[in-house]
Amino acid sequence: MFIVENATFKISQRTLLHPISARFERGKVYGLIGHNGSGKSTLIKLLAKQNPYSSGKISFDDKDINSWPQREFAKHVAYLPQQLPQSTNLIARELVAMGRYAWNGLFGSHPKKDQEAISQAFAFTHTEQFADQFVDTLSGGERSRIWLAMLLAQQSQFLLLDEPLAALDIAHQVEVMELIHKLAHEHNLGIIIVIHDINLAARYCDHLIALHGGKLLAEGNAFDIVNSPKLKEIYGIDLTVIPHPKTQRPVSFY
């Protein structure tokens, strides 16, 4: 479990994240929503130990995240940044195998357990056909799915995903969100995702956290957050919200 207690982040006297408190448990999908610059990526980077928090406290499994050795932390928490490398010079199988680094080191062998984890990661992301292709030759959406497979090969308890849907078409966005939902509910992973599509967030996330101007504006389930008054607070525009005809979950449109 992640516990965030009044955590802040400042750079050169500028506060990018004001005191925020939140809890993240396994078995759920958490969606971080809000306008550009609201603090979503800042928060997820603090959780991923990419940036040190300025004040307050962030703990993982009842232990301050600053006291976790990086490699040991990676066995429990996997992070996918917003900006992925444009060039890797690796075939997909090699990149996915790097997800096992936390367990074996850079030059460790890949025994049966590692190979099973790698094969399972390809299967989960439906990317087996790309396994022997160079990552750099794949489309943006295909590369994103290979990077997600690398995270799954890491077999961590938490996945921290910063806008993983950005390069995907709508079909693959839905496929990835269905996978994320399945991983959380059937495999007891905790998944925190920065997501801009409010309708996908409402459909697949168990808990939404809305940020605005570096502050926590609201949190709750889809019905608590995806309604016209709350969306007006978050995004500053009037959106109409209706129930989905099949799922009854809220759907918003301009």
Side-chain angles (χ1 to χ4, degrees):
M1 177 190 297
F2 276 104
I3 299 179
V4 182
E5 302 173 89
N6 294 313
T8 69
F9 183 66
K10 300 178 181 179
I11 294 181
S12 301
Q13 305 306 311
R14 181 188 174 198
T15 301
L16 299 182
L17 194 69
H18 295 269
I20 182 173
S21 297
R23 297 166 68 93
F24 303 95
E25 303 174 358
R26 294 176 65 181
K28 293 182 179 181
V29 180
Y30 296 85
L32 303 184
I33 63 172
H35 61 81
N36 289 339
S38 61
K40 304 182 299 296
S41 292
T42 298
L43 175 57
I44 209 167
K45 285 179 181 177
L46 296 187
L47 296 172
K49 291 189 62 177
Q50 297 299 301
N51 291 327
Y53 58 84
S54 301
S55 64
K57 184 179 181 181
I58 300 178
S59 59
F60 178 73
D61 278 0
D62 297 321
K63 185 177 175 181
D64 191 293
I65 61 170
N66 291 330
S67 64
W68 280 89
Q70 192 61 46
R71 187 167 159 185
E72 189 64 27
F73 187 71
K75 293 180 180 179
H76 301 276
V77 179
Y79 168 63
L80 189 68
Q82 185 180 137
Q83 299 296 331
L84 298 174
Q86 292 299 309
S87 178
T88 65
N89 294 316
L90 297 172
I91 63 171
R93 191 182 305 280
E94 293 170 333
L95 180 61
V96 174
M98 290 180 67
R100 303 301 297 166
Y101 168 77
W103 301 95
N104 295 309
L106 186 59
F107 300 106
S109 60
H110 300 294
K112 182 179 179 180
K113 183 177 180 180
D114 296 328
Q115 292 300 331
E116 289 176 351
I118 292 166
S119 296
Q120 186 181 63
F122 277 119
F124 275 149
T125 53
H126 301 292
T127 52
E128 299 98 325
Q129 69 269 37
F130 308 129
D132 296 312
Q133 296 184 37
F134 278 96
V135 176
D136 302 343
T137 66
L138 302 176
S139 70
E142 291 164 351
R143 283 200 303 271
S144 294
R145 290 158 64 202
I146 290 296
W147 281 93
L148 181 57
M150 186 192 74
L151 260 65
L152 295 178
Q154 197 167 321
Q155 294 189 321
S156 301
Q157 299 171 6
F158 271 84
L159 302 183
L160 310 182
L161 311 175
D162 195 350
E163 295 192 46
L165 307 182
L168 303 179
D169 58 46
I170 184 62
H172 285 128
Q173 287 181 9
V174 171
E175 183 178 318
V176 168
M177 289 307 296
E178 288 182 346
L179 169 62
I180 285 171
H181 191 267
K182 180 177 180 179
L183 290 170
H185 289 260
E186 296 184 14
H187 299 275
N188 198 35
L189 297 186
I191 301 177
I192 306 171
I193 177 173
V194 174
I195 182 170
H196 280 290
D197 190 314
I198 192 65
N199 291 326
L200 286 178
R203 171 65 179 85
Y204 291 104
C205 295
D206 301 294
H207 194 83
L208 298 176
I209 295 177
L211 299 175
H212 190 279
K215 299 178 181 179
L216 193 155
L217 180 63
E219 64 174 312
N221 62 33
F223 300 97
D224 297 326
I225 304 300
V226 185
N227 55 70
S228 296
K230 192 62 68 178
L231 292 177
K232 175 76 171 182
E233 287 185 61
I234 298 169
Y235 296 107
I237 61 173
D238 293 310
L239 294 169
T240 299
V241 178
I242 60 173
H244 189 281
K246 291 185 178 179
T247 66
Q248 298 304 306
R249 296 181 74 84
V251 176
S252 63
F253 58 92
Y254 181 69

